[in-house]
Amino acid sequence: METPRRLGIAGLVLGALLVPALSPAQAAAGPDPASRPQGVIGGAGGGDPYFPLAGNRGYDVQHYALDLDYTPPRPAPARLVGRLDGVAKIRLVPTQRLRRFNLDLRGLVAGSVTVDGRPARFRQTLDNELVVTPRSSMSPGQKHKVVVRYGGATGRPKDIEDALYGWVTTRDGAMVVSEPDGSATWFPVNDTPSDKASYRFKVTVPKGLTVAANGLLESRRTRKGRTTWVWDAPDQMSSYLATATIGNFKMQRSTTPGGVPVIDFLDRDLPAAKRARSKASLALTGEMVAFFEERFGRYPFVSYGSIVDDNSVGYALETQTRSFFSRDADEATAAHELAHQWMGDHVGLRRWADIWLNEGWAEYATWLWTEARGGTTAQQAYEKVLARKASDKFWTTVVSDPGRLGIFSDAIYDRGAATLHALRQRVGDELFFRLAKAWVAKYGGRSAGTREFRRLAERVTGQDLDPLFDAWVVAPTKPTAW
Ligand code: TRP
Ligand code: ZN
């Protein structure tokens, strides 16, 4: 990790400046019982125990169309503060008759909100909720269009573990990586992984900068010194996997042998050694896709590609169709983020507590790739995990419920991967890989959790796997028998 922890006073001042001011609409929004529409109030929070205020209840988003205009802090910033203005057009379907609902929006100020073309009342709370009251209640099961105009200064947000995430302002753009709850730092969102939607991004930046978002590049047009990049991402996607990373990138297109369009972005400012190493990893994408397709089934999305930024958030992220790398994409990390496209992206999380299914699978896939390349075998990697002493704190993590500060702990990755290896040893290669494919086929495009995985594993293999899963992902101790 190379997370900068040096914002200090400047960060605090910036934080204070970013607290949304009361809007005129808010000041005017007194109670008006006569016009109060019928229906329930969509709750704040999507119900995830680790991030109770992320996401919201009462509706399901189908599509986000985000028109963004961004100016990074150029040319020679004293502080890394950018300017972002956006129009978010959100198509959603209420699950109940709604008279009020929330979106998540953090550090940016909403200027207007309309619902089905009519101005709605709205207010922003200090806990990053945008509360919207439409003129009339919204019908369950029907499509409604919500348009939010918003904007503000962008900074360098941090997650609960103090790692940079969200819309991270850089000298020449922004790194946009939002796991787990950072999407609200750049658009109004139902920021919970199980509400997947399709996306479209129209991002205008100073000419010369490149915008790397999810999906396929539809057009690029320059007018009056600013370039508008239009990206279409038709595949169902969790909000934390959306990106619109901006920088001084060289864009490179290719196609995998299997026909998947690949669009890579290498920062022009990368030092030569990191550039060479990243290029070598990216050159393996076609082979890696073929390798994982054999094990997990067809590549699930319209495109793939990697972004290698010369700036760093201290980690890589499996942004959907366009993995993000800080400074350098080494081969193992490239394999890990690619494997996530099936495991974590296509098959999404039901709750953050289920994250071992993302990281355990991605890590296990990396073990398999490394073995195939003649490196450490999966068996050796597994034995290395099991070589940790029973007294090691590592074994105290409850893998299927690690707590909100434990979602990126070593045990999630290594014990998660070891769980899958133990399962493979138990049921044999044929059933294990049949299960991997069945998992992707059954839950691809949707979300699933540990309960679903355990159930499917037992169904596919016809075995009682309770002792194995209890020992490996439930017990806060080193597994001894299963
Ligand atoms: N999903 C990332 C990966 O698999 C991990 C990640 C996201 C992370 N945010 C983080 C790791 C913050 C450490 C700190 O590599
Ligand atoms: Zn990962």
Side-chain angles (χ1 to χ4, degrees), residues 179 316 318 336-337 340 358-359 362-363 413:
E179 190 179 25
E318 63 270 23
H336 177 107
E337 307 310 338
H340 268 309
N358 288 17
E359 302 306 343
E363 204 49 30
Y413 290 74

Side-chain angles (χ1 to χ4, degrees), residues 386-399:
L386 274 181
R388 286 175 176 262
K389 293 202 183 75
S391 59
D392 192 328
K393 238 187 102 221
F394 172 86
W395 297 112
T396 61
T397 302
V398 175
V399 172

